[in-house]
Amino acid sequence: MSRADGIWGEAQVASYLRAHGYQLLAHSYRCRYGEIDLIARKGKVLCFVEVKTRANLDYGLPREYVTAGKQEKLRKTAAFYLSAHELDCPTRFDVAEVYTDSEHTSVRIEYWEEAF
């Protein structure tokens, strides 16, 4: 899928999060350590969300692409975000899988809290 498809998937997850009571704080947060697709808050918990969009499962489940190396980058990026914003709060790392067809006429979101 293209970068545009990924951005579309992130927008779908942002809407999903808002509908489920999350406050969206950042989209495509970048720093020298990496990028976090979405940062949201639900209650007192700060959630760092990795979004994976797929039109088929030819190469495996989307969550399988959040490898140990990717997880480490996400942890470092999250630590930088917390430090830069002087935050001391509970955190978690979630993964959102967005399933769609090539024309985006259908969408299904699988949301994994505390994915790693």
Side-chain angles (χ1 to χ4, degrees):
M1 300 204 82
S2 71
R3 178 67 186 135
D5 291 323
I7 291 169
W8 177 86
E10 290 169 13
Q12 299 305 304
V13 174
S15 294
Y16 172 91
L17 291 173
R18 284 188 201 99
H20 286 85
Y22 290 77
Q23 176 190 11
L24 202 59
L25 302 178
H27 183 269
S28 298
Y29 174 78
R30 290 181 180 89
C31 72
R32 65 178 174 238
Y33 299 108
E35 177 185 349
I36 296 177
D37 295 327
L38 300 170
I39 301 173
R41 180 183 298 279
K42 185 161 189 182
K44 295 181 180 182
V45 179
L46 195 63
C47 307
F48 299 99
V49 184
E50 177 69 8
V51 179
K52 295 294 183 190
T53 303
R54 297 291 183 270
N56 62 59
L57 298 177
D58 291 348
Y59 299 103
L61 295 171
R63 65 181 162 266
E64 294 173 339
Y65 286 84
V66 186
T67 63
K70 178 66 174 177
Q71 291 175 22
E72 184 61 26
K73 279 186 161 185
L74 291 168
R75 285 186 183 99
K76 286 180 180 178
T77 305
F80 186 86
Y81 180 89
L82 291 167
S83 176
H85 291 84
E86 298 181 359
L87 295 172
D88 183 18
C89 60
T91 62
R92 70 174 196 236
F93 293 88
D94 300 348
V95 173
E97 298 177 326
V98 180
Y99 296 94
T100 188
D101 55 29
S102 59
E103 290 81 33
H104 303 307
T105 58
S106 67
V107 63
R108 180 173 58 92
I109 296 173
E110 294 287 332
Y111 194 82
W112 303 90
E113 293 182 359
E114 297 183 41
F116 59 91

